[in-house]
Amino acid sequence: MEKILNFVMRGILGTIAMYFINSVLEGMGISLGVGINAATVLTSGILGFPGLLAIYGIGLYRIL
């Protein structure tokens, strides 16, 4: 039960973090294009903060 709760909390916090990071980047004029969908929520839920960094790293790589 603890692992499920940990996964859900990381997924929720990752989603909130993606929303605020996208808002800040959009305000700065940087459109990274990281969407909030099932794949990104699962990635942040399973991997946590490193998964969130990986998502934005892939987004950054895509625009280069």
Side-chain angles (χ1 to χ4, degrees):
M1 186 66 175
E2 182 180 338
K3 290 183 180 185
I4 294 171
L5 182 62
N6 190 5
F7 169 76
V8 170
M9 289 303 296
R10 281 192 284 186
I12 291 170
L13 291 175
T15 303
I16 293 169
M18 281 187 272
Y19 175 78
F20 284 115
I21 292 170
N22 285 341
S23 297
V24 168
L25 289 175
E26 191 67 34
M28 293 171 43
I30 302 170
S31 179
L32 206 51
V34 174
I36 298 174
N37 54 39
T40 57
V41 172
L42 284 173
T43 302
S44 67
I46 293 170
L47 298 176
F49 185 70
L52 195 61
L53 290 177
I55 291 167
Y56 279 97
I58 292 168
L60 182 64
Y61 179 74
R62 235 180 40 189
I63 65 170
L64 291 179

